[in-house]
């Protein structure tokens, strides 16, 4: 009995995909996504303390968190531009840093997808042989 062929997973990379820059930008993006995710949890704690208990112990955290979020936005652009992401995808990844725990999920998905793209690029480059 013949089994139907599985549809091939799309591994075509967009024109202009810069694997070297993507490979260098991915670790910085990962660090910033995790830092911003933790920072957002601290910010949520600050809000609970302030508005739930009248405690301003973490009131100082708002400004550093805002600065870290801006660095996160830059890391998304730094990764998304050489990876040739659409504007919508970049904005979606940027907004992930606004929802507690979501930045961790998106960081994981972006990392898996980017590593898959890089491996695909490496396989296609090695099968093409030296130039």
């Amino acid at each position: 009995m013949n089994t139907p062929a599985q549809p091939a997973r799309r591994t075509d990379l967009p024109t202009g995909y810069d694997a070297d820059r993507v490979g260098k930008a991915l670790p910085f993006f990962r660090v910033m996504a995790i830092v911003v995710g933790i920072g957002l949890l601290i910010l949520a704690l600050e809000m609970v303390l302030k508005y739930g208990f009248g405690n301003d112990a973490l009131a100082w955290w708002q400004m550093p968190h805002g600065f870290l979020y801006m660095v996160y936005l830059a890391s998304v652009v730094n990764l998304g531009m050489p990876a040739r992401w659409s504007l919508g995808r970049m904005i979606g990844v940027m907004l992930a840093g606004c929802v507690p725990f979501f930045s961790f999920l998106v960081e994981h998905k972006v990392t898996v997808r980017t590593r898959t793209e890089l491996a695909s690029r490496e396989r296609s480059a090695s099968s093409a042989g030296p130039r």
Side-chain angles (χ1 to χ4, degrees):
M1 173 184 345
N2 291 340
T3 57
Q6 297 256 341
R9 188 169 180 187
R10 185 168 181 220
T11 57
D12 298 335
L13 298 176
T15 303
Y17 187 94
D18 189 345
D20 291 334
R21 284 182 55 202
V22 169
K24 291 176 184 174
L26 183 61
F28 181 62
F29 166 77
R30 293 186 70 208
V31 167
M32 287 312 303
I34 292 168
V35 167
V36 165
I38 292 169
L40 190 57
L41 294 175
I42 294 170
L43 186 65
L45 176 63
E46 189 267 332
M47 294 297 172
V48 168
L49 288 174
K50 180 176 183 176
Y51 296 111
F53 301 102
N55 185 335
D56 287 333
L58 290 175
W60 60 272
W61 179 246
Q62 296 170 3
M63 193 172 296
H65 170 72
F67 174 77
L68 290 171
Y69 184 72
M70 293 299 137
V71 176
Y72 169 72
L73 296 180
S75 75
V76 172
V77 171
N78 189 41
L79 177 62
M81 294 299 278
R84 308 295 291 171
W85 289 353
S86 68
L87 182 60
R89 182 170 180 205
M90 270 200 269
I91 290 172
V93 173
M94 289 175 178
L95 290 175
C98 297
V99 181
F101 298 107
F102 200 53
S103 65
F104 301 117
L105 175 67
V106 170
E107 178 273 326
H108 177 72
K109 288 185 179 247
V110 166
T111 298
V112 168
R113 182 174 179 178
T114 303
R115 285 183 175 163
T116 302
E117 291 170 350
L118 289 171
S120 167
R121 175 77 174 199
E122 190 174 301
R123 278 193 306 274
S124 67
S126 66
S127 67
R131 293 186 181 181

